[in-house]
Amino acid sequence: MQPVRLVVGRLLARCPPTHSGRQLSSGSTISIRDALNQALDEEIRRDANVFVMGEEVAQYDGAYKVTKGLWKKYGDNRIWDTPITEMGFAGMAVGAAFAGLRPVCEFMTFNFSMQAIDQIINSAAKTYYMSAGRVNCPIVFRGPNGAAAGVAAQHSQDYSAWYAHCPGLKVVTPYSAVEAKGLLKAAIRDDNPVVFLENEILYGQQFPFPEEAKSEDFVLPIGKAHIERPGNDITIVTYSRGVEFAMEAAKQLATIGVEAEVINLRTLRPFDFETVKKSVMKTNHLVTVETGWPFAGIGAEISAQVIESEAFDYLDAPIYRVTGVDIPMPYAQSLEAAALPTADHVVKMAKKSLHIQ
């Protein structure tokens, strides 16, 4: 296998325009899988230092076909199949990033990232600080995160809170196709290590894909939340697949005259607290939604930050959290469904906050 070409003395890429606040025009639809593939294709073509490595990402086109066609297009120099040894190839990727390359390191599932967590935390996340700013690590660790379907406890964990806990990492959690493309491109161009948590259940879903998102210069800013649905009665804060539950809950609440504001965090670290705070100060009610475990979860952190801020004085009810059940994920389909949150759970907590029977 030929080494990736290291371009010495390369010019800094020009900063692309970002799309954070304005309404995007309507357009065609695309799946999350294809949006991620498009982002990888464009960034590999754009920057000779970008390459992808992981299990079955090359000749097999990826376990979830996110890298479909890229090996045939770019060859062994840019798309690397690795052995089944996460600690080994994650360490190789971190070393390559230290040397000036921009690896995209795929975990077939983030549950396997536990084998590589020393490389992610102790090497990638901490080296910039420990080197006094002399050695940065422009790397993306990406793959499906959280529960899929029928894969039991050892393949269903949500690592959002795990990685968001660690200084030195940026943690990105896209929901839609536009976010998948725009945020992955931003993550690849970032000079810091980024943990990019996708959702396997969402891979095949179709989402609107406006003309602006088809541009090779389309990049979304890391660290900025998005208001998916404006409302004045209650704030629902969520991310990744939780947006699906929150939006369905908002529709149900609208039938009884409750207008919920749904905030899609998009990024867990850095956390856009200002958007959450302003919404809570407007609606006076807050529900958080996540698929991970409740103890020390993302909802707990959001709740703490709201309580510690001036937004606390605006609350008219306690903050309520909707999470996964506090158990290892069952294998049986009926028990798995019972262990995960639904839109009905969100509606129940919203009604509880608003004192609606």
Side-chain angles (χ1 to χ4, degrees), residues 1 4 51-54 57 76-82 92:
M1 183 167 55
V4 176
F51 70 100
V52 178
M53 66 188 304
V57 299
D76 291 332
N77 279 17
R78 311 297 293 280
I79 314 295
W80 295 9
D81 272 333
T82 67
M92 290 174 60

Side-chain angles (χ1 to χ4, degrees), residues 33-152:
R33 176 184 291 110
D34 290 339
L36 293 168
N37 181 274
Q38 191 176 119
L40 290 169
D41 188 6
E42 292 174 3
E43 292 305 299
I44 292 169
R45 182 168 62 249
R46 172 183 171 273
D47 188 341
N49 289 328
V50 176
F51 70 100
V52 178
M53 66 188 304
E55 296 156 359
E56 300 181 353
V57 299
Q59 297 185 45
Y60 187 67
D61 283 335
Y64 302 99
K65 306 309 174 191
V66 170
T67 53
K68 184 177 181 179
L70 297 183
W71 177 70
K72 290 181 180 178
K73 188 172 185 178
Y74 296 105
D76 291 332
N77 279 17
R78 311 297 293 280
I79 314 295
W80 295 9
D81 272 333
T82 67
I84 303 176
T85 169
E86 283 77 16
M87 178 177 284
F89 68 73
M92 290 174 60
V94 171
F98 288 160
L101 302 182
R102 292 183 174 271
V104 179
C105 179
E106 177 181 305
F107 296 120
M108 193 178 291
T109 161
F110 256 91
N111 296 274
F112 301 160
S113 75
M114 290 187 72
Q115 302 295 325
I117 201 162
D118 181 63
Q119 301 291 352
I120 299 169
I121 305 303
N122 280 330
S123 297
K126 297 178 182 177
T127 296
Y128 187 71
Y129 174 82
M130 295 177 70
S131 68
R134 291 187 296 245
V135 181
N136 67 318
C137 189
I139 187 172
V140 177
F141 300 101
R142 57 153 295 271
N145 171 65
V151 292

Side-chain angles (χ1 to χ4, degrees), residues 12 16-17 20 93 97 122-123 135 156 200 249 261 280 322 333 340 343 352:
L12 292 174
S20 57
N122 280 330
S123 297
V135 181
S156 297
E200 181 181 338
E261 180 150 287
V280 171
V322 176
Q333 184 178 12
L340 291 169
K352 186 175 182 180

Side-chain angles (χ1 to χ4, degrees), residues 49-335:
N49 289 328
V50 176
F51 70 100
V52 178
M53 66 188 304
E55 296 156 359
E56 300 181 353
V57 299
Q59 297 185 45
Y60 187 67
D61 283 335
Y64 302 99
K65 306 309 174 191
V66 170
T67 53
K68 184 177 181 179
L70 297 183
W71 177 70
K72 290 181 180 178
K73 188 172 185 178
Y74 296 105
D76 291 332
N77 279 17
R78 311 297 293 280
I79 314 295
W80 295 9
D81 272 333
T82 67
I84 303 176
T85 169
E86 283 77 16
M87 178 177 284
F89 68 73
M92 290 174 60
V94 171
F98 288 160
L101 302 182
R102 292 183 174 271
V104 179
C105 179
E106 177 181 305
F107 296 120
M108 193 178 291
T109 161
F110 256 91
N111 296 274
F112 301 160
S113 75
M114 290 187 72
Q115 302 295 325
I117 201 162
D118 181 63
Q119 301 291 352
I120 299 169
I121 305 303
N122 280 330
S123 297
K126 297 178 182 177
T127 296
Y128 187 71
Y129 174 82
M130 295 177 70
S131 68
R134 291 187 296 245
V135 181
N136 67 318
C137 189
I139 187 172
V140 177
F141 300 101
R142 57 153 295 271
N145 171 65
V151 292
Q154 292 179 331
H155 295 73
S156 297
Q157 288 178 224
D158 185 335
Y159 287 85
S160 302
W162 287 56
Y163 288 116
H165 180 67
C166 303
L169 294 177
K170 294 186 177 181
V171 181
V172 178
T173 56
Y175 165 66
S176 68
V178 166
E179 293 166 17
K181 180 183 179 181
L183 289 171
L184 182 55
K185 288 170 70 71
I188 293 171
R189 299 183 188 192
D190 202 290
D191 287 333
N192 301 282
V194 179
V195 172
F196 198 87
L197 302 174
E198 301 151 14
N199 184 277
E200 181 181 338
I201 299 296
L202 296 177
Y203 274 146
Q205 289 195 25
Q206 295 287 322
F207 288 87
F209 203 65
E211 289 300 317
E212 293 95 319
K214 298 176 184 178
S215 168
E216 294 194 9
D217 286 331
F218 180 78
V219 178
L220 288 173
I222 293 175
K224 180 63 179 175
H226 176 66
I227 298 176
E228 294 284 339
R229 188 184 194 279
N232 295 308
D233 298 324
I234 189 169
T235 300
I236 304 174
V237 180
T238 185
Y239 59 93
S240 188
R241 195 182 176 204
V243 177
E244 180 180 290
F245 307 140
M247 291 296 285
E248 175 58 33
K251 290 180 182 179
Q252 294 183 32
L253 290 168
T255 64
I256 59 173
V258 174
E259 293 300 324
E261 180 150 287
V262 177
I263 297 177
N264 173 8
L265 291 178
R266 291 184 172 176
T267 304
L268 303 180
R269 190 171 185 127
F271 169 48
D272 183 5
F273 179 63
E274 285 302 310
T275 296
V276 174
K277 183 178 72 173
K278 289 178 182 177
S279 180
V280 171
M281 293 170 70
K282 176 180 67 174
T283 68
N284 313 119
H285 297 268
L286 174 61
V287 172
T288 67
V289 183
E290 61 192 306
T291 60
W293 293 317
F295 191 88
I298 297 299
E301 176 62 27
I302 294 170
S303 300
Q305 291 201 30
V306 168
I307 290 169
E308 293 167 352
S309 75
E310 62 267 37
F312 174 72
D313 293 328
Y314 288 78
L315 287 172
D316 289 339
I319 300 168
Y320 292 103
R321 293 181 293 153
V322 176
T323 72
V325 176
D326 197 20
I327 59 170
M329 183 61 66
Y331 172 72
Q333 184 178 12
S334 58
L335 295 178

